[in-house]
Amino acid sequence: MVWERQQGQGGQGPRRDEGRSREGAVRMVRRSRRRKLPKFTGLCGREEGLRVKRSCPSCGPEPGGEEKKGRGNPISFQLFPPELVEHIVSFLPVRDVVALGQTCHYFHEVCDAEGVWRRICRRLSPRLREQGSGVRPWKRAAILNYTKGLYFQAFGGRRRCLSKSVAPLLAHGYRRFLPTKDHVFILDYVGTLFFLKNALVSSTLGQIQWKRACRYVVLCRGAKDFASDPRCDTVYRKYLYVLATREQPGVVGTTGSRACDCVEVYLQSSGQRVFKMTFHHSMSFKQIVLVGQETQRALLLLTEEGKIYSLVVNETQLDQPRSYTVQLALRKVSRCLPHLRVACMASNQSSTLYITDQGGVYFEVHTPGVYRDLFGTLQAFDPLDQQMPLALSLPAKILFCALGYNHLGLVDEFGRIFMQGNNRYGQLGTGDKMDRGEPTQVPYLQCPIALWCGLNHSLVLSQGSDFSKELLGCGCGAGGRLPGWPKGSASFVKLHIKVPLCACSLCSTRECLYMLSSHDIEHNPSYRDLPASRVVGTPEPSLGAGAPQDPGGAARACEEYLSQIHSCPTLQDRMEKMKEIVGWMPLMAAQKDFFWEALDMLQRAAGGGGPGPPPPES
């Protein structure tokens, strides 16, 4: 042991010299690297060589930068090749890319480049081969796939929270959906129809539970539209009718094939095709709806030219293996009014609604009970001619609608909501339970994103000034269909449910509430400002011009009203001005009477008079 220690102590000097020489060599290498660093990067210092300072090209150099010693000149992102900057930005999440594009003009151009969105789209959807259509195809495709989602909340059970269904990897955004008795069907923007199944799965705790829309398969491709039983109860939705385009072999003597539209019928329980009808290649359709009972199911088909054709099938015989010919006939609304070009349709079991390209609305009602609920009378109902279209009198162009069993909702180009029909449960949202035989405006709701009418309740999807979404509902609240309002409401109230940021449509069944999330940058509903001459009760153009039908305009109008009241010298003058303003505001007659009566009571109390009868003028 002593000999080993002596040997170690004797060789310590040469080892120290070797260590010093190595350290000196390392210092020389570091010194040489440090000298080369400013030559290539324009930076000095160890920390500055690892950092690139961003400089906006429009802002110019940093003031006082030359006076700062030891920092060098900052490098601008503009010096990098655009392809390199786009490649770096494409690795950011979509939310961060949008936020970065709002910082300055340079990054706005970079983040808006199609090259960035092409890389993002291929990262989100690796199997997407085509860029799609539109002015900005790659940006639209990337945002569609980033925001797609189907959310649902069950009305029963102990856990009443919002859940998300499985997202098919092959889906290119979500265009529309339809829940049936057991499953959910989703159509994307390239015509692929997906079949989302309910199944038994194991939870995190090892328990077997029934979960909605947790498995998916591709039902068919080339689909344009689909429909099922129009009743609100999904129990009746046994078959799914799919409008699709298929390649058909040419006639004898020709070599090519032709694309023909067809209607394929599938069982909703298994996804098995049970029936198919093919049309002539000269006829091209874009929408399909159903109306009527199972034995006399009428299929309404809307062509690209705005004409409506119909055919009748018997659903009880669809599962029988036989072929037969059905007659495709022009609907009476297209025969009697050939100049009309229908843009879209909506249907229920006993009624059909048509919206033209000019914003007009025409109705077909097939049963006397529904006709009485919708119009309050049977005066113009003809049981022998149920397909005769009835025109609704509306003050503006209608953009979209929702049709329930015995009530309906319409949204015009100014964002106003009109309700009509049966109001037994307060499903019209007018604040009372009186039926409306003509379209009645709901004054406190404007600019909705989506509208849905059920059996005896209505839902409205709206957006706030901070772009947050909220869901409003009215009518019957039994069964939890109005979360947070079990007793229902005769006015639209905010429901206790979390709404996705990009929700665009909704649907409610007996068991569940569904919301579809998908943002299309090219199909955003844009409402117009209501002109001053169209504001009801506006005596002066200045007031009407300052109060467009939007929340910001209403706030400015209220501020102007307050300034006018404040300018009045006496209390009596302020009371009279307030009565005048109540007459200008778009309130219902009962609300105006209430405010006028209350103002008269306050005016008499302030003047020292007794509680006598109100003057006839009020």
Side-chain angles (χ1 to χ4, degrees), residues 143-357:
I143 294 180
L144 280 175
N145 288 280
Y146 177 75
T147 58
K148 67 181 180 183
L150 179 64
Y151 300 84
F152 59 89
Q153 177 171 328
F155 295 142
R158 292 177 295 178
R159 296 185 59 186
R160 297 185 180 181
C161 59
L162 196 66
S163 304
K164 186 177 181 180
S165 68
V166 62
L169 297 177
L170 299 176
H172 179 46
Y174 292 162
R175 193 170 71 181
R176 59 167 303 213
F177 74 104
L178 178 68
T180 59
K181 178 182 177 181
D182 303 316
H183 312 292
V184 181
F185 295 88
I186 293 181
L187 180 65
D188 70 352
Y189 280 83
V190 294
T192 305
L193 186 60
F194 293 91
F195 182 25
L196 274 61
K197 299 182 178 180
N198 303 338
L200 291 172
V201 296
S202 59
S203 63
T204 56
L205 302 177
Q207 300 176 353
I208 303 298
Q209 61 181 2
W210 181 259
K211 192 173 182 180
R212 295 177 181 271
C214 61
R215 301 284 188 269
Y216 76 91
V217 295
V218 177
L219 185 67
C220 67
R221 301 182 186 274
K224 293 183 175 181
D225 195 16
F226 63 100
S228 185
D229 191 291
R231 283 173 283 191
C232 298
D233 196 346
T234 57
V235 176
Y236 301 104
R237 298 175 184 174
K238 181 180 179 181
Y239 294 100
L240 187 75
Y241 294 77
V242 180
L243 176 63
T245 301
R246 297 287 181 260
E247 292 290 336
Q248 298 294 333
V251 297
V252 179
T254 60
T255 57
S257 60
R258 292 178 175 177
C260 299
D261 286 354
C262 64
V263 173
E264 299 175 344
V265 185
Y266 295 85
L267 279 172
Q268 70 86 25
S269 57
S270 61
Q272 178 186 1
R273 193 181 75 180
V274 297
F275 189 75
K276 179 180 179 180
M277 59 188 83
T278 306
F279 307 105
H280 194 263
H281 64 86
S282 62
M283 305 190 69
S284 179
F285 303 100
K286 65 178 182 179
Q287 187 184 2
I288 179 175
V289 297
L290 308 181
V291 65
Q293 299 287 341
E294 292 86 344
T295 56
Q296 291 289 325
R297 183 76 73 196
L299 280 67
L300 305 185
L301 299 167
L302 177 62
T303 65
E304 298 289 346
E305 295 78 17
K307 303 299 180 181
I308 299 175
Y309 289 84
S310 64
L311 58 92
V312 179
V313 297
N314 188 353
E315 280 191 358
T316 60
Q317 300 178 358
L318 289 179
D319 54 352
Q320 300 178 6
R322 66 188 184 92
S323 62
Y324 57 92
T325 304
V326 294
Q327 175 127 13
L328 187 66
L330 195 64
R331 199 73 173 178
K332 190 165 187 177
V333 63
S334 296
R335 293 199 317 266
C336 298
L337 305 171
H339 61 282
L340 291 182
R341 183 183 177 93
V342 179
C344 62
M345 305 181 294
S347 69
N348 205 323
Q349 180 183 359
S350 305
S351 57
T352 310
L353 188 144
Y354 308 107
I355 299 180
T356 65
D357 58 346

Side-chain angles (χ1 to χ4, degrees), residues 561-612:
Y561 294 154
L562 288 176
S563 64
Q564 293 181 10
I565 296 175
H566 184 71
S567 62
C568 296
T570 63
L571 178 61
Q572 297 296 332
D573 294 338
R574 292 182 180 182
M575 290 287 187
E576 294 297 333
K577 175 58 72 172
M578 186 60 193
K579 291 180 183 180
E580 187 178 358
I581 291 175
V582 168
W584 296 345
M585 299 179 71
L587 301 175
M588 292 184 295
Q591 295 174 339
K592 290 183 179 181
D593 292 338
F594 166 77
F595 282 115
W596 283 331
E597 181 71 20
L599 289 172
D600 284 334
M601 293 175 60
L602 295 175
Q603 191 174 9
R604 290 193 301 271

Side-chain angles (χ1 to χ4, degrees), residues 54-184:
R54 188 189 66 169
S55 175
C56 180
S58 61
C59 299
E62 183 181 0
E66 297 179 357
E67 299 178 358
K68 297 180 180 179
K69 298 182 179 179
R71 293 190 179 183
N73 297 325
I75 293 181
S76 172
F77 271 97
Q78 194 177 16
L79 300 178
F80 291 102
E83 297 80 6
L84 179 60
V85 180
E86 293 179 3
H87 183 73
I88 295 173
V89 172
S90 64
F91 287 96
L92 296 175
V94 175
R95 185 187 296 268
D96 296 339
V97 172
V98 175
L100 182 62
Q102 298 174 354
T103 56
C104 66
H105 179 71
Y106 173 73
F107 279 115
H108 175 73
E109 293 182 352
V110 171
C111 297
D112 203 40
E114 280 293 281
V116 173
W117 292 105
R118 182 178 65 251
R119 297 184 183 96
I120 294 176
C121 186
R122 289 178 176 175
R123 187 180 76 240
L124 295 175
S125 302
R127 300 184 182 183
L128 184 64
R129 302 302 179 187
E130 299 179 358
Q131 61 181 359
S133 61
V135 180
R136 309 300 305 278
W138 286 114
K139 183 177 181 179
R140 179 182 181 228
I143 294 180
L144 280 175
N145 288 280
Y146 177 75
T147 58
K148 67 181 180 183
L150 179 64
Y151 300 84
F152 59 89
Q153 177 171 328
F155 295 142
R158 292 177 295 178
R159 296 185 59 186
R160 297 185 180 181
C161 59
L162 196 66
S163 304
K164 186 177 181 180
S165 68
V166 62
L169 297 177
L170 299 176
H172 179 46
Y174 292 162
R175 193 170 71 181
R176 59 167 303 213
F177 74 104
L178 178 68
T180 59
K181 178 182 177 181
D182 303 316
H183 312 292
V184 181

